[in-house]
Amino acid sequence: MARAIELAREAASEGDVPIGAVVIDSAGAVIGEGSNRRERDGDPTAHAEILALRAAAAGRGDWRLSDCTMYVTLEPCPMCAGACAMSRLGGLVIGAWNEEYGAVGSRWDLVRDPRLSHSVEVVSGIDADECGALVRDFLESRR
């Protein structure tokens, strides 16, 4: 989670919502990472989770990430939760809950929806105070 927090800080320094994501393989090696780049890239899909999944899949040459775990500073939105499920991600470790757009248990629970063919194991609350403060402080500074 420490690296995801670093990536979130980098996003904030570039004017994006501070969210960072890191994908590790079963040996614990980082195989993909990303930070929000919507503002920088002018791309509505440039969320940290999407970028980390793309990098992990590209590095492995396989879109199936069933033996991998993603660490992300904020609970994924519906788009990112869907991407986690569709990549067959094995695990998802969340920092803070996203009460507004969260799709991994707070508002919706896409990654564990029994109608899907794959379920992602979720662990939440890792460094939650620090992860939540990053987003709160950023948004308050914008208002």
Side-chain angles (χ1 to χ4, degrees), residues 114-129:
R115 296 169 290 188
L116 297 177
S117 64
H118 177 77
S119 181
V120 179
E121 183 178 334
V122 177
V123 175
S124 61
I126 306 303
D127 295 327
D129 292 339

Side-chain angles (χ1 to χ4, degrees), residues 40-141:
R40 188 179 95 184
D41 294 357
D43 179 354
T45 68
H47 288 207
E49 301 94 325
I50 299 295
L51 299 172
L53 288 170
R54 285 179 184 160
R60 292 180 74 160
D62 189 357
W63 62 267
R64 292 172 191 87
L65 302 174
S66 58
D67 64 333
C68 299
T69 301
M70 176 185 288
Y71 288 78
V72 62
T73 56
L74 188 70
E75 178 188 9
C77 70
M79 176 181 68
C80 295
C84 289
M86 294 296 100
S87 70
R88 309 296 193 264
L89 193 66
L92 183 59
V93 179
I94 300 168
W97 290 108
N98 181 348
E99 298 297 329
E100 190 171 1
Y101 297 111
V104 183
S106 62
R107 300 278 279 169
W108 304 278
D109 196 351
L110 295 178
V111 298
R112 293 177 287 198
D113 190 311
R115 296 169 290 188
L116 297 177
S117 64
H118 177 77
S119 181
V120 179
E121 183 178 334
V122 177
V123 175
S124 61
I126 306 303
D127 295 327
D129 292 339
E130 184 175 6
C131 292
L134 285 170
V135 175
R136 273 191 312 278
D137 293 348
F138 177 83
L139 294 175
E140 286 175 8
S141 74

Side-chain angles (χ1 to χ4, degrees), residues 28-50:
V30 173
I31 61 169
E33 59 182 38
S35 59
N36 270 3
R37 293 191 339 218
R38 290 184 316 165
E39 298 298 329
R40 188 179 95 184
D41 294 357
D43 179 354
T45 68
H47 288 207
E49 301 94 325
I50 299 295

